[in-house]
């Protein structure tokens, strides 16, 4: 899950990472109060779970209390990428000598955390990786031995820092890694990490926590759903609330499969035959009739859907359960949209019998099923 | 070299008293797997599916010879369970559990490596030696003893292709699910090495999907000439959109990396026959054999 | 450093280890208030840095507010093993089903932490080890892999606990180990660890922290000196305050050496020739003249000392410095106690010259020096 | 087998800019030790005693070939420094630092073992190959090239006995201080094994003290017949009182274990000549050789 900047900075402070003085506000008056107390120019940042807010006007500056209040009032309620700004983060404006990038993420190939640092801060790291890869320092963290001060010193050194600055930056690296490790971060990054005259400070803060690890971070569980707003479409949010593994696509054939690989292959096959999937919906293993009914209903209700292809290879998932779920969904919705079912494996015969009775076509192979679904979607 | 299984492999089921554990223990037993003990902390002394249950592996080993472990323990406890198996020198350790934090998988894989233990998974359907033994949740009926080894990152798609292979009369030797998580123990290359030396495997089906670069690395390995048997592949996810997780935690195209296209191109360049449809993998293998 | 029970229990609570309700008091009235609030019989325990307080009357019980107040008044100010009781710990009295021992300490041979557990709680573990060693469960903790739940489960199982109790006890073990590890404990133990009807609780608490690790536990540094009261003699406390490595012995020959091994060998040699050392004083490496002066003065001031043997094998420690320190100490104290100096190594000649001028005898070998010191002590 | 040193061993000094580090770097250089670099984080780029100083070992290795490390870093930072040397594949790693928390020593020794690295110390005077090289703080003048290997838990007592040996004209081969802490890397047995195979060592002096059971285990090892060279021993601490630390953190009699008597008896039972006086060790060796 993606934390907002102000939430991420709360964790940064907990781990002793220097951050500018700031606070989250929801009312323009608070912006005035903050700048009055601070007595220095401030930056006002929209708190939204999407990237690229800077270009979209989500980062503004103010030098006086009135400016701060007016600007905050101007920003609150505005929309960026379809999301309404409800929270702002006001923060002291920094005298930045230099902008650095520092991040910790997972290296799939090496099966470890990797620390990325670059003297090219303030730019997206992907852009740096593309254009000047030699400017990115990569340090793989040994999972058994962890990160030690000498690793951090070397990272700081490679970035060009010496003496006191080297040790200050190394300290920053150590703390950010501790946070990444203990908070189960899939990604945490500071971009830009500001170099000041006498040290470093996290001008921005990004923190993505592994959803699978939320049992270790109970305080975040409640925030999960709201954190997904920027990431998921409305329909995906709905599916999530119904506990369905669903990805929205832009075609017109609803796809339901059991197992991620099979469902992906179903999409691919539909595409191969000239169709376009409206979604990816993975039932997972051993779905009950109720779960299947819920899934089919969810896809049928999608007005874009012209036909539905259900592809179930039975192992733990039973054919009869699948059939029952499909029939129930269709009956309850009174839907006449064509449904194609490919069914094989456990309780296949029983399933086919149930579907036949309900007038739903079943096929032996995914290929045939995909072909038929494409044809039906075109014909409708 | 990873360690796999055969009819003599003696298996402990960790998490045997859970519903998944119990259900699949029954199916594995039916298939012929030598399940000798179960472990669930706090449930020592009971029986499940006719198998004695212990609180710890150490205790199970006091009265039973055990070679390998399969784990159905819930995600928050799975790391400890797997490390218990590693410490008890069981090998392979097959982690069926889905939803394990990636930090735990990193720890597990690194510590197992120190011990030289093969970790299959997490989030894997497991492995099967057709006609002899299975440590996994795959449906038995689609497999038949034969010559084709299968390596797959996914579950049902793996069964789908196995069914095609079986239908064409080729049959399977050893089949291994690698697991759908971003960080897993066993990788394509490890299994390819093993298949190269396995006299019972005459050809290989490789089933990949979007995310990561394991398929690209497998292609590189195959290009290197160390793998000499016929091989056909299928890659799922051509229709996937970048930045979205397609069911599996590991199935995600990030930036320019992890696309199906990149994997397909790499494999084709390595001389691997890549099917556009799952069924074509079986057909290609029939021709290659 | 040895923490008092109430201090140790504060740490126990921090680590989530169940402890009886209790509090530290210094006034009898507080005992009455505590029992009134608790509404149950209590135990009153003297807080002293020495063992065996139970046998010495340092643990008492009270059922009523008056009893509590009177008993506390009776205990405060009393002496146990030469130490005055200034603090009491009042605590709810438990309904104990069974007493268990649980401890974590360092295994020198295996170079790791070791967890010790025994069903024979309430008795000293050394006694159990002597009489019924089979009743002690030992688990060595792998320093790289740490302690895992399955290790703790097995310890609980070996103690005879099953099901829920096994998991409860295992949880106790995990927490005590976390505390031992993170707090740099040389030893932490719970004896007795009380088994109740529905769980476990730490009836007592012992925690010894590695003095070398106090830089990681700043909050304890101030308490170090007072914690040594039970461990060190008055003279040893004084030496410590002067930063001298000093052990008090019961003879009459003051021994000063450089290096622990050499100083021990000096004691042994003196003993071999029939003498008895009054102390062990190790100058350490590279002592300055001032440090040597301080050490010699400290030993000379001891009224039991009849002669002093200074044994310095110069490496980093210089002969001239040694000689200057000895001469200065003697002059300043105006002492006439005989001093024998064995000197070899760096600046040996210069040192001997200085000592000769001051009328202090120097010898070549430790053996000769020891012999002479014994003779002089006998003769005085 | 532990790795020791000779005139060709290239050494880095960690903590070279501290007063101890600087002082002993000078003395080691004078003795002939090949000190090629120093490391102090934050001080990279300067020079100390004519030796270039780096911030990290990795950087030092970019311009210098380095074999081994000696550490003078203050106790709170010593674990990290030693792990840096281990990770850089330096061997041996000699930890002079005193006052390291025992938890850190446990971690260091365990992690070095995974890497196969010899840790000498902590709290050791170091080691010396007489007449060639020293990585330590021992006074050079008491050593002279010869046939006797020395292993000692203490410092000055070790020099005392070395001086006796030198005075009798025997001289020393390799001498190793094990360190006075309760947990150290190298132990008597490790060094005895090495001495057994070392052609330059004809006899051995073993210098122990109260605390722990390293001497008893050495005696057991010698009894086992794996050590065949003449050996004489001295054990300090007969006059020590139980429960009191005698200077060294490790020199403490706990309960019934760790007494000088126990050690002396064990060694005598193993056929080792144990002197009542330090000088008698040298005399015994002269007779045994």
């Amino acid at each position: 899950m993606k934390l907002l900047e102000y939430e991420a900075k709360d964790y940064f402070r907990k781990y002793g990472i220097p951050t500018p003085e700031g606070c989250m506000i929801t009312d323009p008056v608070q912006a005035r109060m903050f700048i009055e107390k601070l007595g220095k120019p401030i930056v006002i940042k929209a708190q939204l779970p999407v990237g690229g807010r800077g270009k979209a006007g989500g980062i503004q500056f103010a030098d006086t209390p009135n400016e701060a209040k007016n600007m905050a009032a101007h920003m609150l309620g505005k929309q960026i990428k379809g999301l309404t700004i409800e929270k702002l983060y006001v923060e002291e404006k920094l005298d930045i000598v230099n902008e650095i990038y520092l991040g910790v993420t997972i290296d799939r190939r090496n099966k470890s955390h990797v620390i990325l640092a670059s003297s090219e801060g303030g730019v997206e790291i992907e852009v740096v990786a593309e254009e000047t890869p030699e400017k990115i320092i990569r340090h793989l963290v040994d999972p058994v031995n962890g990160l030690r001060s000498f690793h951090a010193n070397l990272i700081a050194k490679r970035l060009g820092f010496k003496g006191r600055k080297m040790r200050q930056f190394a300290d920053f690296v150590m703390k950010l890694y501790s946070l990444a490790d203990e908070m189960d971060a899939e990604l945490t990054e500071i971009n830009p990490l500001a170099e000041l005259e006498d040290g470093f400070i996290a001008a921005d803060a990004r923190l993505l926590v592994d959803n699978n690890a939320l049992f270790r971070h109970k305080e975040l569980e409640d925030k999960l759903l709201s954190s997904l707003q920027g990431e998921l479409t409305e329909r995906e949010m709905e599916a999530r609330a119904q506990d369905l593994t669903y990805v929205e696509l832009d075609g017109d054939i609803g796809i339901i499969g059991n197992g991620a690989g099979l469902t992906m292959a179903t999409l691919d096959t539909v595409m191969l035959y000239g169709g376009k999937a409206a979604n990816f919906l993975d039932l997972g293993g051993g779905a009950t009739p109720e779960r299947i009914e819920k899934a089919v209903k969810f896809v049928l209700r999608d007005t874009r859907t012209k036909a539905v292809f259900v592809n179930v290879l039975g192992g733990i998932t039973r054919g009869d359960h699948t059939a029952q779920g499909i029939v129930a969904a269709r009956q309850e919705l009174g839907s006449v949209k064509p449904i194609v079912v490919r069914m094989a494996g456990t309780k296949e015969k029983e399933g086919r019998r149930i579907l036949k009775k309900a007038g739903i076509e079943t096929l032996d192979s995914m290929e045939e099923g995909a072909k038929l679904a494409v044809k039906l979607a075109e014909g409708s | 070299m990873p360690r796999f299984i055969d009819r003599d492999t003696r298996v402990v089921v960790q998490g045997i008293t859970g519903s998944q554990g119990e259900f699949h223990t029954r199916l594995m037993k039916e298939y012929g797997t030598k399940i000798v003990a179960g472990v669930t902390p706090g449930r020592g002394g009971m029986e499940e599916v006719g198998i004695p249950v212990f609180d710890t592996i150490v205790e199970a080993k006091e009265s039973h010879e055990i070679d390998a472990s399969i784990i159905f323990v819930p995600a928050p406890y799975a790391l400890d369970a797997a490390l218990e198996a590693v410490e008890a020198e069981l090998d392979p350790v097959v982690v069926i559990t889905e939803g394990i934090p990636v930090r735990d998988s990193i720890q597990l894989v690194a510590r197992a490596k120190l011990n030289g233990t093969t970790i299959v998974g997490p989030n894997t359907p497991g492995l099967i030696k057709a006609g002899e033994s299975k440590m996994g949740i795959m449906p038995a009926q689609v497999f038949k003893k034969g010559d084709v080894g299968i390596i797959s990152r996914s579950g049902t798609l793996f069964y789908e292709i196995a069914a095609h292979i079986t239908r064409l009369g080729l049959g399977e030797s050893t089949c291994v699910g690698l697991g759908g998580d971003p960080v897993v123990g066993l990788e394509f290359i490890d299994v390819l090495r093993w298949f190269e030396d396995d006299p019972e495997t005459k050809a290989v089906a490789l089933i990949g999907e979007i995310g990561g670069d394991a398929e690209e690395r497998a292609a590189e390995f195959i290009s290197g000439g160390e793998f000499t048997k016929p091989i056909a592949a299928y890659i799922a996810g051509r229709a996937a959109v970048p930045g979205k997780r397609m069911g599996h935690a590991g199935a995600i195209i990030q930036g320019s990396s992890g696309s199906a296209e990149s994997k397909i191109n790499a494999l084709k360049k390595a001389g691997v026959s890549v099917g556009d449809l799952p069924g074509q993998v079986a057909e290609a293998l029939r021709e290659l054999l």
Side-chain angles (χ1 to χ4, degrees), chain B residues 218-264:
Chain B
E220 208 175 301
F221 173 76
I222 294 164
S223 294
E226 283 183 74
F227 188 75
T228 60
K229 299 185 180 181
I231 177 165
Y234 181 82
I235 304 293
R238 296 175 199 222
V241 276
K244 292 276 185 184
R245 284 191 203 281
M246 303 303 278
H248 285 154
I252 181 166
I253 304 170
Q254 287 165 307
S256 58
S257 100
S259 74
E261 205 189 345
S262 150
K263 293 165 193 297
I264 291 168

Side-chain angles (χ1 to χ4, degrees), chain B residues 70-85:
Chain B
I70 180 165
I71 294 174
F72 292 94
V73 166
Y77 314 107
L79 172 62
D80 264 22
L83 290 174
E84 181 177 10

